[in-house]
Every structure is written in C-alpha cells, then in structure tokens.
Amino acid sequence: MNDFTAIRRRHTARAFGTFVAVGAASVALLGLAGTAHAAGFSLKEQSAAALGNAFAGATAGAEDVTYMFFNPAGMIRQSDNQVGAVANYIMVQGETDNAATSPSVLGEATSGDAAEDALVPAAYGMWSLSPDLKIGVGVNVPFGLSTQYSTTWAGRLHTVESAIQAINVNPAVAYRLTPQLSVGVGLQIQSFDVTLSNMAGAAPGSPLAEITGDDWGFGATAGLLYEPSPDTRIGVGYRSQIAHTLEGDLTIGGSLITPIEANFTSPDTVSVGAYHAYNDNLAVMADIVWTRWSSFDELRVTTPGGAIVSLTPEDWEDVWFFALGATYKLNDTVSLRGGMAYDQSPIPDNRRTPRLTDEDRIWTSIGAQFRPSANVTIDAGYAHLFIKDSTVNLPAGYSTPPLPAMTA
C-alpha cells in the first residue's frame, strides 16, 4: 500500500442554465449527464430561474414548473398545463499539484485538469386538473461526478476515473388544503451508475483495474407551501434517502475477476425557504438546506459471497446550504435576478481522496427572465463558484477502491 499526498488542489466551477416553459401537455426528454458541482457529488442545477438567484427561494419561489424539484407543493401556483426543459452546462476546473507517494511511484506530480465539463439537462411537465389539484413529473440528474486522471500521474494507484450518475424520475401531486396552505407529495424512481478505476500496478504497462455497478432505487418527496399574504410565501421541502445495492463487476486489464456488490444510500435533504415581494417590481428570497451526508460512512465493495474486495472509510458529515437572492422586474417582459450562497462540503479533511477533493464553496449568480408571450417564458442563469483549495493526504493503509489495483 502506498501513502499518497496531493497538495494544492485548485477548484473553480461555472454553470450556465437555460429554461424554456411552454403551455402544453407533453414533455421532451433529453440525454442526461452530470459532473459534481454542489457539495459532495450532488447537483442543484435543476432550474435556470432558481440558478439565477443562487437557489435562494427555491423552496418557496414556485415561479414555474421547475421548482417542483425543490418543493412539489409549489405546482399549485401554476394555473395552466406547463412543460419545461432545462439545459445546464457546467465547467469545472480542478488541478492537483505536488502529488507524491511513499514509497515513490514515478509519475507526473501535476494531474492537469481532472474534472470534466458536462451538460446537465432536466425536463418537466405539469397538468392542471383544477385550481386546487395539479399533477406533474420531472426527470433530473440529482447526483453526478466525473473525474479523469492520466494513467501515468503519480496518484494512478489511487484513481484514474471516477464516474457517478443518478437519473431521477419524479412524479408528484399538489393539492390546496386552504387558501393559504398547499401540500405536495411525490415518488422518486432513481437509477444509479458507478465506475471507479485505477492502475493495478506502478510499473509501466500495468493493467487498469475497474469496478462498475448499477441499481434502481425508490424514495419520496414532500413539501408544504404557506402563503400568509399575496406577497409572501414560505416553503418546506423534503427529499428522502434512497438505498441502492449496486451490482456489477471488477475487471483488471479488461478481464473479469469477480462480480461485486456495494451498498450506497443517497442523502435526504430538508429545505426551508421564504419569498417576499416588496412591491410590483422587487422581490427578495432566501433558502436554508440541510443534507444528511452522514449516511455515507464507508464504501464497502464485496463479492456476492461477502468477501471484501475494497473498503474505503468515508465518514462524511451533515452539511448546510445558505442562500439569499433578489429579483427585479424591469417591465412586463424582462426581469433580472441575482444571488449569493454558502455551500458546505461534507468531506472531512482526513477523509478527502483524489477521487473527489471537495471543499466549501461560495456561489455568486446572476440571471434574467424573458417573456415573449403569455405562453412562453425563457430563463437564463449563470453561477460562478469560488471553491477553497484543498489538501489530500492519505495515510498508509487507506484504501481507495478497487483494492486489487492498489498493489504494485
């Protein structure tokens, strides 16, 4: 087993989001891909309008059908049938300097930009059965990670490729209980795919060891929307954990070594948001989100018989997200958005690995809305994330899967 140290992992991230909503009763589904952008490997980019406000007010804003991802009760504020398509392009930069192992493994000390850019789309549809009853469906990518290192860099015994992608289908219903209070509930149907690889030896020409696995899991969503006045609303949203038993294979040099299994439970989230319109032109909003990443305590890969193939301690921590934003309506056609947020990383310093060198981040966002007609709305948003430099220092005996690839 080799000690591994990677110093000065630099991060920046940018995201562009565009949303188009049309009053019709059909949904166009898009190809789905993802890369880590929010804390851990979660993805917040589910709404271009909310992106423009740094996701402040996402739980209470209920401005269009895309807000159902954060709070299904918000659909009650949409008066007509609605479809929407969101396209986010995420540009992430991450470079590791001064990478070294002990005993020494020859290779590049600088990894280059290992983080991969990605298109992260989403699609939504909502049907208004009555003023007090709405049903909808969303297709999203709530989790994603994509990093790719050279097969000759110094940390190649710890990681070459890490790819995680979850695709969520989320049917939901919203009902108005009273003029002020609405509720929403929904189902999460989630596929989860993982690929992890690293070199099986330090010598030139060593084979690549790769673990792949996938699974389908099920969970729930729920929300409340309280409107004490026409200008103010308060929202509460919940997305449940989803337990997965990933099944797949361990291969080395392309040859099957053994089938594998691994358990992973995605975190549940609780969000509270507020929205207040000061006048016909200016609205302010805020959100607080708690994510239970402590559910990810280890990554244990076994054979179907229970023999351990790889065991990586994770010990991730529960985290908070805080956001403030504002929207200013220039006229009946154009509105401008802005926001800032603080996003905690769930990864303890002593558990950070080169697969995901996550750190705390600050969001700054701007956006605009254009309404060319009564039936069409176009939102565009841009966010720049300032992410702290991080340090990776893996002690002797620390395993990064797959274990067979960790031996020279």
Side-chain angles (χ1 to χ4, degrees):
M1 184 74 67
N2 294 286
D3 294 355
F4 172 79
T5 303
I7 307 299
R8 291 183 61 205
R9 179 61 188 250
R10 297 191 298 271
H11 306 264
T12 61
R14 291 170 287 170
F16 300 89
T18 302
F19 163 71
V20 179
V22 182
S26 63
V27 180
L29 302 183
L30 306 176
L32 300 171
T35 188
H37 192 218
F41 47 84
S42 61
L43 290 165
K44 289 186 177 296
E45 291 79 5
Q46 313 300 337
S47 165
L51 174 66
N53 294 122
F55 298 97
T59 311
E63 296 189 42
D64 58 51
V65 68
T66 67
Y67 284 71
M68 68 172 284
F69 178 88
F70 310 99
N71 183 356
M75 289 190 295
I76 209 69
R77 288 186 56 84
Q78 311 307 314
S79 59
D80 299 315
N81 298 340
Q82 190 176 122
V83 298
V86 180
N88 296 280
Y89 189 70
I90 300 178
M91 297 181 292
V92 185
Q93 293 178 323
E95 181 176 304
T96 299
D97 293 341
N98 302 326
T101 62
S102 177
S104 178
V105 175
L106 298 178
E108 296 96 344
T110 300
S111 68
D113 186 5
E116 298 190 334
D117 300 345
L119 175 68
V120 182
Y124 301 88
M126 191 210 75
W127 292 263
S128 180
L129 301 184
S130 75
D132 296 330
L133 179 62
K134 320 288 180 177
I135 61 172
V137 63
V139 181
N140 311 84
V141 184
F143 301 100
L145 166 66
S146 183
T147 58
Q148 182 73 51
Y149 293 83
S150 166
T151 58
T152 57
W153 84 295
R156 61 189 178 276
L157 296 183
H158 290 264
T159 179
V160 171
E161 180 185 9
S162 302
I164 297 172
Q165 183 182 86
I167 299 175
N168 230 59
V169 180
N170 186 187
V173 59
Y175 183 71
R176 190 188 305 275
L177 294 174
T178 72
Q180 289 78 38
L181 182 63
S182 302
V183 298
V185 294
L187 175 67
Q188 296 188 72
I189 306 167
Q190 185 178 98
S191 73
F192 207 90
D193 291 86
V194 175
T195 298
L196 303 174
S197 73
N198 42 268
M199 303 309 293
S206 295
L208 183 74
E210 182 177 78
I211 279 176
T212 58
D214 60 76
D215 182 54
W216 284 88
F218 301 90
T221 63
L224 297 172
L225 188 66
Y226 178 60
E227 302 176 75
S229 75
D231 298 325
T232 303
R233 45 191 182 265
I234 299 168
V236 179
Y238 174 72
R239 296 184 70 85
S240 76
Q241 293 182 333
I242 299 179
H244 292 279
T245 299
L246 304 168
E247 298 181 348
D249 298 310
L250 165 65
T251 62
I252 297 181
S255 299
L256 176 64
I257 302 301
T258 180
I260 60 92
E261 294 180 355
N263 293 324
F264 170 74
T265 299
S266 66
D268 51 350
T269 62
V270 178
S271 61
V272 178
Y275 177 101
H276 177 70
Y278 274 105
N279 51 48
D280 291 340
N281 299 103
L282 178 63
V284 295
M285 60 283 298
D287 246 72
I288 300 175
V289 184
W290 174 80
T291 303
R292 186 162 58 171
W293 270 116
S294 58
S295 61
F296 190 30
D297 59 347
E298 67 177 19
L299 180 57
R300 181 186 296 261
V301 182
T302 69
T303 67
I308 295 177
V309 174
S310 171
L311 178 60
T312 305
E314 299 291 351
D315 298 325
W316 284 23
E317 300 170 343
D318 300 338
V319 294
W320 294 88
F321 174 87
F322 306 93
L324 294 172
T327 300
Y328 186 77
K329 183 178 179 181
L330 290 176
N331 50 52
D332 290 339
T333 303
V334 178
S335 296
L336 302 179
R337 304 180 187 275
M340 294 191 67
Y342 176 68
D343 197 3
Q344 288 184 320
S345 170
I347 304 177
D349 289 344
N350 65 345
R351 289 291 184 253
R352 189 177 297 114
T353 79
R355 291 200 182 276
L356 180 57
T357 57
D358 194 48
E359 257 290 6
D360 296 348
R361 64 204 68 201
I362 293 175
W363 293 65
T364 58
S365 296
I366 57 174
Q369 183 181 85
F370 177 58
R371 296 172 294 277
S373 73
N375 294 323
V376 177
T377 301
I378 301 172
D379 268 285
Y382 171 80
H384 191 98
L385 277 65
F386 298 89
I387 307 174
K388 292 172 58 178
D389 291 350
S390 60
T391 299
V392 178
N393 187 7
L394 302 184
Y398 194 100
S399 171
T400 302
L403 183 61
M406 296 302 300
T407 57

